[in-house]
Amino acid sequence: MAHTLTENAPLAARTTFRVPAHAAWLAEVRDAGAMPEVLALPQAAPGVLVLGEGSNILFTRDFDGLVVHPDIRGIEVLADGAVRAGAAENWHAFVRWTLARGYAGLENLALIPGTVGAAPIQNIGAYGTELEEFVSAVHAYDRVARAQCELSRDACAFSYRDSVFKQQRDRYIVTAVEFRLPRERAPVLDYAGVRDELAAMGVAAPSPTDVADAVERLRRRKLPDPAEVGNAGSFFKNPVVAAEAAERLAAAFPEMPMWNGKLSAAWLLEQCGFKGARDGDAGFSERHALVLVNHGSATGAQLWALAQRAQAEVKQKFGVQLEPEPRVI
Ligand SMILES: Cc1cc2nc3c(=O)[nH]c(=O)nc-3n(C[C@H](O)[C@H](O)[C@H](O)COP(=O)(O)OP(=O)(O)OC[C@H]3O[C@@H](n4cnc5c(N)ncnc54)[C@H](O)[C@@H]3O)c2cc1C
């Protein structure tokens, strides 16, 4: 069977927030060729939602339609430096796979949770690197054209935590991603303590694998592990403001961190007292103000209510609108 169908499927264990929610129907699709048949099912009529490993999504309610999990696997070297990976491959395992074969590029993106297929959706980024630099093409099922398609990197319209896949939500179901990876790359170390971490590890001339090790160590220290406390990483994007607003803010709050018009959402939340704040089992991490956490039995609605309160207070104090990074259902 190229797909399986489950009715009233529990989703809590399928998301890193681990909040209770059900999908009326869940389809696990193991072959890209089966997409047209699955999407034509009557169960898809109320709506379709694609789910990878659920590390960037918050369910505040049940989903009435069909949740599609593209369970498409396999990693293939097409030519030296050209690698294609199926949508369901785990991102971090893929990063380690490329490094083990002597390819550079993805080392700063080590330990980001989730699947390869979801990585282009918000153009994942961390420690000074964004996915877009290394994507050569994205294979997807286009629900508007009702056909398989291949999008070039330009067609993906990548920008900060954004892409055509986010702009035209649910139009494309990513089935595989192709990467072009160099054998060598000047290490990107000037971001959030990578250089210091390598020094602490006693590494003077780091290989890409050393950089990935350093990034892993930093992430394990700084971010709450979703296996221990439910979360989806950063809950808000760093806001980008127009030059006029940046000037106004710099004058009113000289200590506010700012780079190229981008503000630190973590700093804004901290100033409003949200770091470590808690309302029942919904809270913001004590380690990182930007991480909304489920301390145990918070519902998605409770987490979303706390996030909205944080949005309102930041707006009132700084006049800045915070946008959620994860998808909120
Ligand atoms: C602890 C932690 C740390 C994190 N750190 C980072 C970070 O440093 N940088 C960063 O960018 N992100 C980070 N994230 C967010 C998350 O890891 C990424 O967004 C990841 O790419 C989500 O993958 P997923 O498979 O879990 O996607 P899901 O959560 O399942 O889905 C996310 C979105 O993508 C869509 N989607 C998923 N798969 C597909 C597909 N095959 N085709 C079409 N649409 C699809 C979904 O509909 C949804 O809109 C972090 C999350 C956690 C929990």
Side-chain angles (χ1 to χ4, degrees), residues 272-274 308-320:
C272 293
F274 282 100
Q308 285 179 304
R309 210 176 87 209
Q311 269 178 321
E313 289 192 27
V314 166
K315 176 87 180 169
Q316 197 189 15
K317 190 171 167 95
F318 298 104
V320 173

Side-chain angles (χ1 to χ4, degrees), residues 292-313:
L292 187 68
V293 291
N294 176 5
H295 285 287
S297 55
T299 63
Q302 285 166 334
L303 286 160
W304 183 224
L306 179 62
Q308 285 179 304
R309 210 176 87 209
Q311 269 178 321
E313 289 192 27

Side-chain angles (χ1 to χ4, degrees), residues 1 3-11 14 22-28 30 41 43 63 65-68:
M1 272 285 269
H3 75 267
T4 54
L5 207 53
T6 310
E7 188 172 6
N8 197 26
L11 299 174
R14 288 179 175 270
H22 281 76
W25 292 92
L26 170 75
E28 305 209 50
R30 276 179 290 278
L41 291 168
Q43 288 87 341
F63 187 73
L66 180 68
V67 168
V68 174

Side-chain angles (χ1 to χ4, degrees), residues 48 55 66 88-89 103 121 125 139 183 185 187 191 202 224 226 243 251 288 310:
V48 168
S55 65
L66 180 68
E89 293 295 332
Y103 296 123
I121 310 305
H139 296 261
R183 284 282 176 191
R185 178 194 188 215
Y191 194 89
H288 201 311

Side-chain angles (χ1 to χ4, degrees), residues 50 52-56 113-115 118 121-122 124-125 172 174 219 233 327:
V50 188
E53 290 182 13
S55 65
N56 212 24
T115 53
I121 310 305
Q122 71 159 5
I124 55 170
Y172 298 101
V174 175
R219 294 185 69 101
R327 181 165 186 178

